[in-house]
Amino acid sequence: MPKSMSSQSLIFMGSDSIALPVLEAIRRERCGPVSIDAIYTQPDRPRGRGKKIVANEIKLWAKENGIPVFQPSKVGKEERLEIQAINPSTILVMAYGHLLSQKLLDIPERGVWNLHTSLLPKYRGASPIQAAIASGDSATGVSLMKVVRKMDAGPVLDREETSIGKEDTALELERKLSLINADLVERNLGRIMRGDVYPIEQREGDATYTRKLAKNDGELDF
């Protein structure tokens, strides 16, 4: 996508298809004149029964749209220098899977922002969608927060809520959340780029945590 003279630069970091509606909203300039100048995503990995090495949906989308893709196994000094050279106004993160250093968080003028699939401070951590269903919640959502070094603990700028149906699976709920992601970003990305943001600190006493799912979490007790 050609970059207009007034476009501001954004780097996206993520590895899950849940973020595709957000990327499309930015590409189509529904969030204002913002260009995605690079995408960082996880390395290609074996998938499916045949365990073939394949690219994830984020990488495929980037290739289709002519956006440079970086796939480091970790985000270290080399990656930090790459990002400094790109000089993004902001970095947007969702389901990336890498911890980001404070030196990296300090690079973009408008900060680093994360889309987390829970109504923070509830369900920080790796499996908030599954935790909401397993807990019998009637609603969940996506929180847009500023990234700090502590996991999912940054101040929250805005949230978008959706209902959880009695028969919803994690996959079905993920589809709902992927759509409201775009609404959340469309409403807030322009404000972030202008520096017109006043995120609210989370109440630490209300925080709950989820862990990474293991294979035995799929076992059923009949």
Side-chain angles (χ1 to χ4, degrees), residues 1 29 31 38 44 47 54 62 78 96 120 128 132 143 147 165 168-169 200-201 205 208 211 215 219:
M1 179 182 68
E29 296 196 340
C31 308
D44 299 347
R47 297 171 69 182
V54 295
E78 181 179 342
Y96 183 35
L120 291 169
S143 300
V147 179
D168 277 353
T169 64
I200 298 172
E201 296 291 339
T208 59
R211 59 175 172 78
K215 188 174 182 179
E219 296 176 0

Side-chain angles (χ1 to χ4, degrees), residues 34-46:
V34 178
S35 66
I36 304 172
D37 285 0
I39 285 179
Y40 281 72
T41 192
Q42 290 277 359
D44 299 347
R45 290 198 168 94

Side-chain angles (χ1 to χ4, degrees), residues 105-202:
L105 298 180
D106 291 339
I107 291 174
E109 179 185 5
R110 300 304 187 192
V112 180
W113 298 85
N114 180 58
L115 290 157
H116 182 75
T117 49
S118 79
L119 300 174
L120 291 169
K122 197 173 187 179
Y123 303 142
R124 295 177 182 176
S127 55
I129 296 175
Q130 293 82 358
I133 293 175
S135 299
D137 293 357
S138 61
T140 187
V142 182
S143 300
L144 177 59
M145 66 162 193
K146 191 165 188 179
V147 179
V148 298
R149 284 290 292 158
K150 186 175 179 180
M151 183 179 63
D152 299 330
V156 175
L157 176 60
D158 198 1
R159 308 193 304 183
E160 188 78 13
E161 190 170 320
T162 190
S163 62
I164 303 176
K166 291 183 179 180
E167 303 298 325
D168 277 353
T169 64
L171 185 58
E172 288 162 346
L173 183 54
E174 184 175 306
R175 290 194 191 101
K176 288 183 182 181
L177 294 170
S178 74
L179 297 177
I180 66 172
N181 272 342
D183 296 333
L184 191 57
V185 173
E186 286 179 34
R187 191 163 66 235
N188 290 285
L189 187 55
R191 294 172 57 202
I192 290 172
M193 291 303 197
R194 294 190 300 270
D196 181 24
V197 291
Y198 304 94
I200 298 172
E201 296 291 339
Q202 297 183 43

